[in-house]
Amino acid sequence: MVRAVLHGVITIFISAIICSFIFALLLKLTSYDETSLRWVMHVLAFLSLFFGGLIAGGKGKVRGWLLGGAASIIFTTIIFLFQFLGMNQMFSLEQWGYHAGFLITAMVGGMIGVNVATSKSRSA
């Protein structure tokens, strides 16, 4: 189970880094500004958490909601510690709302991941 959660967290961070790199290039090389891409960035953040939960649930094969939730909580903890220790700022109410949404999204991804992994192993 620990490996499944670790795979999920790694998936979340890799997809977040790739998305951040692409958006940094878009912002640098085009006339777009952050406000015009705000909702696209939010959707991709939720997709990153969903896929992280999906991977965690698929690898764990049981209790996908718990594995996806654990991956999301670890992600939130790392982001919180980075912001608190590195930038000396607490989460705002808006950030807590986003991370609560991330938790629910990763849990749903974990539930779907368990069902996809279980249905593949049954048909084999």
Side-chain angles (χ1 to χ4, degrees):
M1 285 181 88
V2 173
R3 292 189 91 184
V5 173
L6 184 63
H7 278 90
V9 172
I10 290 171
T11 301
I12 292 168
F13 275 107
I14 288 174
S15 62
I17 289 168
I18 291 169
C19 289
S20 295
F21 181 72
I22 290 169
F23 280 112
L25 285 177
L26 276 174
L27 291 171
K28 181 70 174 171
L29 301 175
T30 65
S31 62
Y32 289 121
D33 59 345
E34 288 182 29
T35 56
S36 62
L37 296 174
R38 179 179 176 194
W39 291 107
V40 177
M41 288 189 271
H42 289 314
V43 168
L44 288 176
F46 278 97
L47 283 174
S48 295
L49 270 290
F50 176 80
F51 285 123
L54 188 81
I55 296 296
K59 294 280 185 187
K61 296 188 172 93
V62 292
R63 295 188 195 107
W65 66 273
L66 185 64
L67 297 174
S72 175
I73 288 172
I74 291 171
F75 170 77
T76 297
T77 303
I78 291 170
I79 298 300
F80 177 78
L81 288 173
F82 176 78
Q83 185 171 328
F84 181 69
L85 298 173
M87 295 193 247
N88 201 22
Q89 293 178 338
M90 295 290 288
F91 271 1
S92 67
L93 188 59
E94 181 181 16
Q95 286 176 303
W96 281 117
Y98 281 123
H99 283 276
F102 290 161
L103 176 65
I104 293 167
T105 304
M107 291 171 103
V108 170
M111 287 186 274
I112 293 171
V114 165
N115 290 319
V116 168
T118 305
S119 66
K120 283 184 182 177
S121 64
R122 275 191 224 150
S123 64

